[in-house]
Amino acid sequence: MGSIDANTAALPAFNAGVDGSFQPLNPDDVRAYLHKAVDFITDYYANVESMPVLPDVKPGYLQEELTASPPVHSAPFDVTMKELRASVVPGMTHWASPNFFAFFPSTNSAAAIAGELIASALNTVGFTWQAAPAATEMEVLALDWLAQLLRLPSTFMNRTSAGRGTGGGVILGTTSEAMLVTLVAARDAALRRSGSVGVSGITRLAVYAADQTHSTFFKACRLAGFDPANIRSIPTGPDTDYGLDPTKLLETMQADADAGLVPTYVCATVGTTSSNAVDPVGAVADVAAMFSAWVHVDAAYAGSACICPEFRHHIDGVERVDSISMSPHKWLLTCLDCTCLWVRNAHRLSDSLETNPEYLKNDATDSGEVTDLKDMQVGVGRRFRGLKLWMVMRTYGTAKLQEHIRSDVAMAKAFEGLVRADDRFEVVVPRNFALVCFRIRASGAMTEQVADEVNRLLMERLNKSGKAYLAHTVVGNRFVLRFAVGSSLQEERHVRSAWELIMKTTDEIIIVCVE
């Protein structure tokens, strides 16, 4: 349905100026286009539950439907919206679907969408405070608000009751960026500490994480220049519920130090992707302190839960770490992209990342009273990232956000109960937060290897049905299904429907296996 016929092309596509000139921000067009976009969004959320979660399309399908060459002539906005509905939506994996249980949730809310829309319209570029005072101040305020909800110590705050703090925060795109910038800061500090001339000593620097740590950590280490031979992945097991063992960490770091290496950085995770394991933050910090190594806490998913007092203990000891990040775009109703990073000493970060060309110099920066967010990220330019986060917290308040978290955890707990009540299944690791890791258990003549294949088949059939979408992992060398509760539209009925589908599909698979 790619081409537009000559009659359609002749229709006016936009309102022109008095002289017939192109006006991309003509007020009438802005109002009309955005009204239609809002109608599309509202209709999408009203109907997404009935759409197949996974699309049935092939690579390259969109070029075939919309043509591979860009249009020369303008078209009415209605044509654009028609093609969006007819070709783009059917090719989407619907993360917004209440039947989406894969990976971790990508939550959203009316307040976040409104904030994103307004931020896009304002289109400010906030590299320095002077370039965008309100955008910078809003980001500082939103981060300090969220830090208070997490009960982070004042050392992580941008501003305290005594004035500007020594710590601070920045909103980045993803956890990968948070890891990268803190790795760079830790690298530079370790090189200075070890007396290296420039980066000549970088091959002696070593970094550490559990084998359950997200793969982006190891990618970020390579980007930061660490020798892959010095990136330590410490094995975990069921004895620690797959969390990092401080004793093994100490043994590994000490062995490296004895061999002349410089322990530089430890990543502790609160809510690993595979199994939602929690590394003991305080104990990890104590070990790292023996070597003056930087400790970063990756709480991308589960950090949102820590706004609830009953989950806050998972980050106990945070006052002794150097940085912590969490992603409200995963579980705190704030759409992508929004990863919040706090550091205990902002200068350690900015010293490694700042750039100060003549054309960016200004009195506000020279005063030392402001934060130039360009100096806490990889790039220079940045969008108005704090607005949607502030709008979510301001609109819903702490109580509603906590209610949202607790509701998801309750639904996951109910699903866990259903799994445990069926002897054909097992919960592989203790449930943390709103993720249940389960599988068809090996029993009778079914070996673990056969069970792996049966579970893989179960996942494939569930996903192909379009009625649910689950992802998998491998835990303890076993193929495991992950059931992540948390889509913004999810209700208990969706969880129960998914379980009924799982049981029905399992019945069919087992009958085939027996035959």
Side-chain angles (χ1 to χ4, degrees), residues 439-443 445-457 509 513:
R439 73 197 301 263
I440 297 173
R441 70 169 72 244
S443 60
M446 187 186 297
T447 65
E448 291 289 352
Q449 184 176 1
V450 171
D452 283 347
E453 293 306 313
V454 169
N455 280 285
R456 187 184 298 275
L457 180 60
I509 291 172
C513 290

Side-chain angles (χ1 to χ4, degrees), residues 70-120:
V72 175
H73 302 292
S74 57
F77 188 68
D78 285 346
V79 171
T80 305
M81 293 302 296
K82 181 181 178 181
E83 293 184 352
L84 170 65
R85 291 187 176 91
S87 297
V88 178
V89 172
M92 291 178 58
T93 295
H94 296 291
W95 286 67
S97 171
N99 301 312
F100 184 101
F101 300 98
F103 310 114
F104 280 133
S106 179
T107 56
N108 213 341
S109 63
I113 295 170
E116 186 80 332
L117 174 63
I118 295 168
S120 295

Side-chain angles (χ1 to χ4, degrees), residues 271-331:
T272 61
T273 301
S274 279
S275 62
N276 241 341
V278 176
D279 296 338
V281 173
V284 168
D286 290 342
V287 172
M290 300 178 189
F291 305 91
S292 300
W294 183 295
V295 179
H296 174 69
V297 175
D298 168 18
Y301 161 70
S304 294
C306 294
I307 69 170
C308 300
E310 64 267 32
F311 298 117
R312 172 56 175 74
H313 66 278
H314 288 296
I315 57 171
D316 282 355
V318 69
E319 68 279 358
R320 302 196 296 282
V321 309
D322 298 279
S323 56
I324 178 172
S325 64
M326 56 89 75
S327 299
H329 62 236
K330 289 188 181 294
W331 203 10

Side-chain angles (χ1 to χ4, degrees), residues 127-419:
F127 39 75
T128 62
W129 183 92
Q130 180 173 276
T136 302
E137 295 283 338
M138 177 62 76
E139 189 157 328
V140 166
L141 177 64
L143 286 163
D144 281 354
W145 275 14
L146 188 51
Q148 291 175 62
L149 293 190
L150 294 169
R151 288 189 289 150
L152 297 183
S154 60
T155 48
F156 286 94
M157 304 280 283
N158 289 283
R159 297 197 176 275
T160 67
S161 57
R164 188 177 181 194
T166 56
V170 62
I171 300 178
L172 303 172
T174 63
T175 299
S176 305
E177 293 176 56
M179 289 177 175
L180 178 58
V181 297
T182 53
L183 278 162
V184 168
R187 177 199 68 192
D188 292 351
L191 289 171
R192 290 191 297 269
R193 189 169 69 246
S194 61
S196 173
V197 178
V199 296
S200 62
I202 196 169
T203 57
R204 294 175 53 219
L205 306 186
V207 295
Y208 309 85
D211 60 2
Q212 297 292 303
T213 302
H214 199 283
S215 61
T216 56
F217 169 72
F218 304 99
K219 178 179 180 179
C221 288
R222 295 194 300 273
L223 289 172
F226 290 93
D227 186 339
N230 295 339
I231 302 174
R232 308 289 182 237
S233 179
I234 300 173
T236 60
D239 52 326
T240 60
D241 291 333
Y242 296 93
L244 180 59
D245 184 340
T247 301
K248 290 182 181 178
L249 175 65
L250 175 58
E251 292 171 353
T252 306
M253 295 180 79
Q254 188 61 60
D256 282 343
D258 292 343
L261 298 180
V262 180
T264 299
Y265 184 104
V266 183
C267 181
T269 305
V270 177
T272 61
T273 301
S274 279
S275 62
N276 241 341
V278 176
D279 296 338
V281 173
V284 168
D286 290 342
V287 172
M290 300 178 189
F291 305 91
S292 300
W294 183 295
V295 179
H296 174 69
V297 175
D298 168 18
Y301 161 70
S304 294
C306 294
I307 69 170
C308 300
E310 64 267 32
F311 298 117
R312 172 56 175 74
H313 66 278
H314 288 296
I315 57 171
D316 282 355
V318 69
E319 68 279 358
R320 302 196 296 282
V321 309
D322 298 279
S323 56
I324 178 172
S325 64
M326 56 89 75
S327 299
H329 62 236
K330 289 188 181 294
W331 203 10
L332 208 60
L333 302 178
T334 308
C335 51
L336 276 163
D337 51 11
C338 186
T339 290
C340 299
L341 169 68
W342 294 270
V343 289
R344 191 151 47 93
N345 186 333
H347 289 295
R348 293 182 69 186
L349 197 61
S350 61
D351 286 350
S352 292
L353 300 172
E354 71 177 349
T355 178
N356 195 27
E358 188 63 35
Y359 56 82
L360 292 184
K361 291 180 180 178
N362 61 84
D363 292 341
T365 297
D366 292 342
S367 73
E369 291 299 314
V370 302
T371 299
D372 285 341
L373 296 175
K374 69 177 177 61
D375 296 331
M376 301 180 74
Q377 62 176 27
V378 174
V380 175
R382 62 187 344 271
R383 56 200 307 272
F384 196 166
R385 279 182 165 147
L387 184 61
K388 62 187 175 186
L389 179 59
W390 173 79
M391 288 184 72
V392 166
M393 290 190 287
R394 184 65 188 89
T395 301
Y396 301 125
T398 304
K400 287 294 184 186
L401 294 175
Q402 290 174 334
E403 177 185 331
H404 154 69
I405 296 291
R406 288 166 176 152
S407 173
D408 287 346
V409 172
M411 286 191 287
K413 188 175 182 179
F415 180 82
E416 178 190 30
L418 294 171
V419 174

